[in-house]
């Protein structure tokens, strides 16, 4: 995660139907680069989307969780 300045960040894992299955982060971060780790031990194997909300920006990434 790379931020140009301090801001509030929300990161969620969504299932294939777009429902939030895990709230990963909901916190303020300073500007700069940050590492975010997601523990999917409580989730089933499958396709998920990572939703990043930072300031006015919304991004999605597709991930495949395999166990």
């Amino acid at each position: 995660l790379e931020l140009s300045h301090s801001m509030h960040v929300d990161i969620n894992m969504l299932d294939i139907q777009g429902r939030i299955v895990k709230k990963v982060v909901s916190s303020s971060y300073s500007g700069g680069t940050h590492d975010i780790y997601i523990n999917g031990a409580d989730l089933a194997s499958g396709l998920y989307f990572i939703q990043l909300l930072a300031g006015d920006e919304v991004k999605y990434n597709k991930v495949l969780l395999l166990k």
Side-chain angles (χ1 to χ4, degrees):
L1 174 62
E2 189 169 331
L3 303 174
S4 59
H5 59 280
S6 297
M7 66 181 70
H8 186 83
V9 174
D10 289 303
I11 299 175
N12 301 306
M13 283 188 77
L14 310 176
D15 65 13
I16 196 71
Q17 281 119 9
R19 297 177 297 214
I20 295 174
V21 294
K22 185 178 193 87
K23 290 185 180 276
V24 179
V25 169
S26 182
S27 186
S28 293
Y29 283 87
S30 60
T33 302
H34 305 275
D35 292 326
I36 306 293
Y37 296 95
I38 300 172
N39 183 348
D42 56 336
L43 299 172
S45 294
L47 182 64
Y48 293 91
F49 295 94
I50 305 298
Q51 176 191 55
L52 168 67
L53 304 147
D56 294 335
E57 195 168 343
V58 179
K59 289 187 177 183
Y60 292 90
N61 284 314
K62 190 172 16 175
V63 295
L64 181 60
L65 178 62
L66 298 174
K67 294 187 174 187

